[in-house]
Amino acid sequence: MTNRIYAQIQDGKVVAISELAADLVPIDTNDSRLLGTAYTGSAPVKVPTSSFTGLSVYVASDKTEISADGVDAANITLTVKTWDGQNSEYSGKVGLNIGSTKLTLDLVNGEASYSFKTSTPGIYSIQTSGSAFTSHGKSKVEAV
């Protein structure tokens, strides 16, 4: 596949530079959730059997602040959804990065949880990672 570089012009000024693949597929909506998804079908024509696939991980915490006593905990919940927001039954590994600590959790039927506690005060950035996903969630918990 050949990629081409384009300048996007708005009001006579360049506002973005982008690399555009040579294969274009018409879609019905301008939905940014499609970014990073995989396309199954024959480009450049969208046929009824074509589809976009991709999984996103959402991160939620039941607390935004915990005591830095090594006992108080924030329950971190990871949920996997399809690119268009539908629940997913995905099972597999996902990376969970809390500050500089890197963990690997097992997702079962699209969900995983982790109990975060620390005795070191600070603001902890919580983010997922993994190549199986098109987007990753993040959250923050402050330990005081």
Side-chain angles (χ1 to χ4, degrees):
M1 173 171 44
T2 302
N3 289 350
R4 297 185 178 112
I5 308 297
Y6 290 90
Q8 183 177 345
I9 310 299
Q10 184 175 349
D11 297 327
K13 294 187 181 201
V14 175
V15 294
I17 303 287
S18 64
E19 187 172 343
L20 183 66
D23 294 333
L24 297 176
V25 175
I27 58 176
D28 299 327
T29 182
N30 183 7
D31 192 334
S32 64
R33 296 176 300 176
L34 283 169
L35 295 172
T37 63
Y39 176 71
T40 56
S42 300
V45 179
K46 183 179 178 185
V47 295
T49 58
S50 303
S51 66
F52 292 94
T53 58
L55 299 172
S56 298
V57 184
Y58 294 84
V59 177
S61 175
D62 68 339
K63 297 179 183 178
T64 57
E65 185 176 293
I66 60 172
S67 297
D69 59 6
V71 177
D72 192 18
N75 295 311
I76 310 300
T77 304
L78 308 180
T79 305
V80 178
K81 294 186 180 275
T82 61
W83 72 268
D84 59 352
Q86 304 299 311
N87 289 332
S88 171
E89 296 296 316
Y90 177 86
S91 294
K93 305 282 185 193
V94 65
L96 181 65
N97 306 325
I98 302 176
S100 61
T101 302
K102 297 191 183 310
L103 306 167
T104 301
L105 299 182
D106 290 313
L107 289 158
V108 178
N109 294 323
E111 295 185 349
S113 61
Y114 179 77
S115 181
F116 171 64
K117 47 185 132 177
T118 185
S119 52
T120 306
I123 297 174
Y124 291 84
S125 177
I126 301 165
Q127 187 168 347
T128 60
S129 64
S131 60
F133 308 101
T134 56
S135 67
H136 296 281
K138 56 185 168 181
S139 185
K140 288 186 180 181
V141 173
E142 182 173 9
V144 292

